Amino acid sequence: MAGAGLRAAARRWLLGGGQGGPRAASTSPSCPGCGPPGPGAHCPGTPRSAPTGGAELSAHLWARYQDMRRLVHDLLPPEVCSLLNPAAIYANNEISLRDVEVYGFDYDYTLAQYADALHPEIFSAARDILIEHYKSLLMKIDAFHYVQLGTAYRGLQPVPDEEVIDLYGGTQHIPLYQMSGFYGKGPSIKQFMDIFSLPEMALLSCVVDHFLGHGLEFDQAHLYKDVTDAIRDVHVKGLMYQWIEQDMEKYILRGDETFAVLSRLVAHGKQLFLITNSPFSFVDKGMRHMVGPDWRQLFDVVIVQADKPSFFTDRRKPFRKLDEKGSLQWDRITRLEKGKIYRQGNLFDFLRLTEWRGPRVLYFGDHLYSDLADLMLRHGWRTGAIIPELEREIRIINTEQYMHSLTWQQALTGLLERMQTYQDAESRQVLAAWMKERQELRCITKALFNAQFGSIFRTFHNPTYFSRRLVRFSDLYMASLSCLLNYRVDFTFYPRRTPLQHEAPLWMDQLCTGCMKTPFLGDMAHIR
C-alpha cells in the first residue's frame, strides 16, 4: 500500500534523523530557521554534534542532501502517481447537485467541443484578412501580478529577464492600473482567457516577429488592434461557422457524450436552457449533429446571438422571437416558450419571465468573464467552468517524471530554507549549487506542460492570474461537460481544504526535513 510505504519512510526519517538509527528528541526550545521542533522530531538545521570546520560543514550539508534524496525516493512508490482523474470535476466551492433544478449552457466549447484542427484554420484566415486590409509582449502573470521570468516573448523570441524587469521600472510586478479590468481588458494589458485565444496569440507573435526580423517600424497599439480585428472578422464573417458546418465529424468532439448529459438531466426532471452568442443556423446544425433533429425539445429556453457579456448587464435589449427559418418576428415577448428560439434580450427580463434565480441555477461556460463572472458575482447563480486544457495537464501531473520533479523541488526548497543558517564560504557554495539545481528543476517541470509558458494554472510556485479568476468565478471546473456523466445528479462536491502557509503540516518540504510530526501521513496518497 502507498500509505504504508509513506509511513515507513517517514518513520525512518523522523526517528532516525535520516541517518539510520533512532535519535532522542531535541531538548532545545527552538532552532534557527525551523521554530519549535515537534515532539520526537530532530531538526536538520541543528545537528547533534555541530560540525566546526568549513569542509566539515560542507560535507554535513551534502549528507543531509543525500538523506533527503533517499527519503523522497521512498516517499513516492509507483502507486502514488496517477492520483488525479482527467474526467473528474473539481470543486472551488461546496455545491450539491440535489439543490440544482435548472441547468444552463453556453454553446461553443461547452455543449460543442471543437478539435484542435480548428485553430490553424482561424489563424490562416485571420492572417489573410490582416494582409489584405490592414512592440507588444506575450507573458505569463501570476495571481499577484508578477511576470514569471522566462515566459515573456516579443514575437517568437524570448525577452531577457533583465529587459522585462527594466520595462516595469526595476520590478517584475505589473501595477494594478495596467492590469486587466473586470472583463480581462486593461489600459495596456489584455488577458487571453479561452481556447479561441490561441490563434490570436499565435498570429500576434508571428506578425511581431516578422516586423522585427525585417527591421520594420510599427506602432504596438495599431498592430494589436489590426490583429484583434482580423480574428474578429473570422467570426463576424461566419468563416468559422462555414468550416465546422462543412465537416462536423472533423471539428466537433464528444457529440454523443453531450447528448448523454442533456438527456440524463431531462430524465431526472431538470430544466435546461441555452444562452450563446452564436447564430441560430450554426447552433441548429451543430445540435442536430450531436443530439438529433428534436434537440430543442430538451431545452426549456434557447437564446442565440445573446451578445454576452452585455446580456448579463444591459437591461435595454428586448427578446425577439425567430421563426422556423430563423427570421426575426415583431411580437412583443411576454413569456419564453419551450421549443422556440429567441435572440438577444437581457438577463433581467430572463429572470423575470422564468423566475429562475440564485443557487437553483447552474450555468456552464468556457469563458470566465463573458460567461461566468456576472452570474456568480451579481446574480448568485452557481457556475461551472469548462477548461479543455485540464485533461492534458492532469495527464502530465500523473507522470512519475512530474511527481518526482515536483516533490524534489519542494524538498530542496525546505533544505534551502533551513540550512541558510550556515553562512561560511563553503556552505554558501553548497547553497548556491542547490539554488541552481532548484531553478533547473523548475524549468524542467515548466517544459513538461509548454516550453514557452508552462502550465496555465501555475507559475513556478504561485497560481497564475487565470487560476485566481477561475477560483473566484466558478464553483466547479472540468475538462468537458461529459465529466458530469461520472456523477449522480444528487452528488455533492466538496472542495479540499487547501493549506495556508501557516497550516501546512503535509507540505512535502517540511515533511522531508523532518521538522514536524505527520500524524495523517497515510492519507497523503489520497490528496488531490
Side-chain angles (χ1 to χ4, degrees):
M1 294 291 291
L6 294 171
R7 283 193 295 271
R11 182 174 178 81
R12 288 196 300 273
W13 180 270
L14 292 175
L15 295 181
Q19 299 296 329
R23 291 177 181 260
S26 172
T27 57
S28 172
S30 64
C31 57
C34 296
H42 176 74
C43 175
T46 309
R48 296 192 70 195
S49 299
T52 55
E56 189 177 354
L57 278 172
S58 177
H60 168 73
L61 294 178
W62 282 114
R64 303 302 287 172
Y65 173 96
Q66 293 299 336
D67 288 339
M68 193 174 305
R69 287 300 295 258
R70 286 191 290 271
L71 174 63
V72 168
H73 182 271
D74 289 342
L75 283 173
L76 289 173
E79 60 265 31
V80 172
C81 300
S82 300
L83 293 179
L84 297 179
N85 182 359
I89 295 176
Y90 298 93
N92 295 320
N93 197 8
E94 186 170 324
I95 174 174
S96 175
L97 297 184
R98 184 189 300 274
D99 300 329
V100 176
E101 302 171 8
V102 184
Y103 284 76
F105 306 92
D106 178 37
Y107 180 73
D108 295 305
Y109 278 108
T110 301
L111 287 176
Q113 288 277 318
Y114 299 131
D116 291 344
L118 184 60
H119 302 158
E121 298 282 2
I122 297 174
F123 174 93
S124 299
R127 177 200 59 201
D128 295 342
I129 292 172
L130 190 63
I131 292 173
E132 292 174 8
H133 299 287
Y134 299 104
K135 296 181 199 177
S136 43
L137 302 183
L138 283 178
M139 66 186 81
K140 184 177 175 184
I141 300 172
D142 73 9
F144 302 96
H145 299 188
Y146 284 88
V147 179
Q148 181 182 359
L149 296 180
T151 68
Y153 284 78
R154 180 180 290 111
L156 301 177
Q157 303 302 316
V159 179
D161 295 345
E162 298 77 11
E163 186 176 342
V164 175
I165 293 172
D166 184 64
L167 181 64
Y168 290 102
T171 176
Q172 297 167 239
H173 184 261
I174 298 178
L176 178 63
Y177 73 89
Q178 292 186 16
M179 280 297 295
S180 301
F182 188 76
Y183 294 108
K185 297 179 181 179
S188 59
I189 291 178
K190 175 188 174 181
Q191 186 182 2
F192 291 105
M193 287 294 296
D194 60 3
I195 294 291
F196 284 131
S197 298
L198 296 178
E200 183 176 356
M201 294 168 64
L203 182 59
L204 185 62
S205 297
C206 290
V207 173
V208 170
D209 193 71
H210 174 81
F211 276 60
L212 293 175
H214 291 79
L216 303 174
E217 293 186 5
F218 64 97
D219 184 285
Q220 300 173 19
H222 296 333
L223 178 60
Y224 168 75
K225 183 179 185 304
D226 288 349
V227 169
T228 301
D229 288 348
I231 291 289
R232 180 203 62 199
D233 286 350
V234 172
H235 297 274
V236 172
K237 295 181 177 181
L239 299 178
M240 188 190 80
Y241 305 140
Q242 294 174 20
W243 305 325
I244 295 173
E245 290 173 8
Q246 290 169 3
D247 196 345
M248 291 189 180
E249 291 290 343
K250 175 181 179 181
Y251 291 113
I252 294 184
L253 306 174
R254 294 174 166 164
D256 292 342
E257 295 174 356
T258 296
F259 171 69
V261 169
L262 298 177
S263 57
R264 183 169 179 250
L265 292 174
V266 171
H268 283 83
K270 306 299 182 180
Q271 295 175 288
L272 309 184
F273 67 92
L274 170 63
I275 302 178
T276 176
N277 287 348
S278 293
F280 169 68
S281 60
F282 174 67
V283 174
D284 183 53
K285 292 175 182 176
M287 292 300 293
R288 286 174 179 270
H289 172 76
M290 293 186 290
V291 177
D294 298 326
W295 68 270
R296 280 188 279 175
Q297 296 307 312
L298 295 174
F299 292 89
D300 294 87
V301 179
V302 176
I303 301 167
V304 299
Q305 292 180 278
D307 194 25
K308 296 180 293 182
S310 65
F311 177 88
F312 300 127
T313 57
D314 189 345
R315 297 173 179 264
R316 296 171 296 178
K317 296 179 180 178
F319 285 110
R320 295 191 69 175
K321 188 187 297 184
L322 278 67
D323 63 18
E324 293 298 320
K325 296 180 180 179
S327 301
L328 288 170
Q329 303 297 291
W330 294 95
D331 310 43
R332 184 171 183 268
I333 305 302
T334 57
R335 61 193 180 101
L336 299 174
E337 302 175 69
K338 185 171 184 176
K340 303 297 183 182
I341 304 296
Y342 300 90
R343 176 177 167 179
Q344 290 189 341
N346 64 84
L347 185 66
F348 303 93
D349 285 343
F350 180 88
L351 296 175
R352 177 176 55 82
L353 296 171
T354 63
E355 298 184 351
W356 292 339
R357 298 179 182 276
R360 297 172 51 212
V361 186
L362 172 56
Y363 184 80
F364 293 91
D366 71 302
H367 199 290
L368 300 184
Y369 294 120
S370 296
D371 290 324
L372 307 181
D374 285 305
L375 294 176
M376 170 172 276
L377 300 182
R378 301 175 190 266
H379 302 286
W381 286 12
R382 311 310 291 265
T383 56
I386 305 299
I387 314 294
E389 302 97 326
L390 182 64
E391 183 173 2
R392 176 180 176 272
E393 294 224 357
I394 286 178
R395 295 193 187 283
I396 293 170
I397 291 172
N398 280 338
T399 62
E400 288 193 36
Q401 182 180 9
Y402 175 86
M403 187 72 77
H404 281 277
S405 177
L406 180 65
T407 307
W408 179 233
Q409 283 180 62
Q410 292 289 85
L412 197 54
T413 300
L415 266 181
L416 283 163
E417 182 176 49
R418 289 163 178 82
M419 300 301 182
Q420 63 183 305
T421 53
Y422 299 112
Q423 285 298 310
D424 59 284
E426 288 82 359
S427 296
R428 286 200 298 269
Q429 289 182 358
V430 175
L431 296 175
W434 293 355
M435 286 287 290
K436 180 180 179 183
E437 181 180 358
R438 178 171 175 260
Q439 183 59 30
E440 290 171 350
L441 284 167
R442 284 176 155 187
C443 294
I444 290 171
T445 305
K446 166 193 160 190
L448 291 175
F449 296 98
N450 178 276
Q452 287 73 38
F453 298 104
S455 167
I456 69 168
F457 298 99
R458 277 199 177 275
T459 56
F460 287 136
H461 53 274
N462 287 330
T464 58
Y465 192 73
F466 171 81
S467 286
R468 181 182 183 183
R469 312 314 279 172
L470 176 65
V471 171
R472 184 66 184 92
F473 298 147
S474 66
D475 293 290
L476 305 171
Y477 65 99
M478 63 208 76
S480 74
L481 205 60
S482 62
C483 296
L484 284 171
L485 297 173
N486 300 319
Y487 301 85
R488 292 165 51 96
V489 295
D490 59 355
F491 189 86
T492 298
F493 293 95
Y494 296 95
R496 297 300 183 265
R497 183 183 177 94
T498 304
L500 301 173
Q501 291 299 310
H502 66 274
E503 53 178 17
L506 295 180
W507 261 185
M508 193 61 70
D509 65 327
Q510 297 187 13
L511 168 68
C512 289
T513 50
C515 282
M516 59 175 63
K517 294 180 71 175
T518 52
F520 307 112
L521 188 63
D523 294 333
M524 287 188 64
H526 306 294
I527 293 176
R528 292 193 294 175

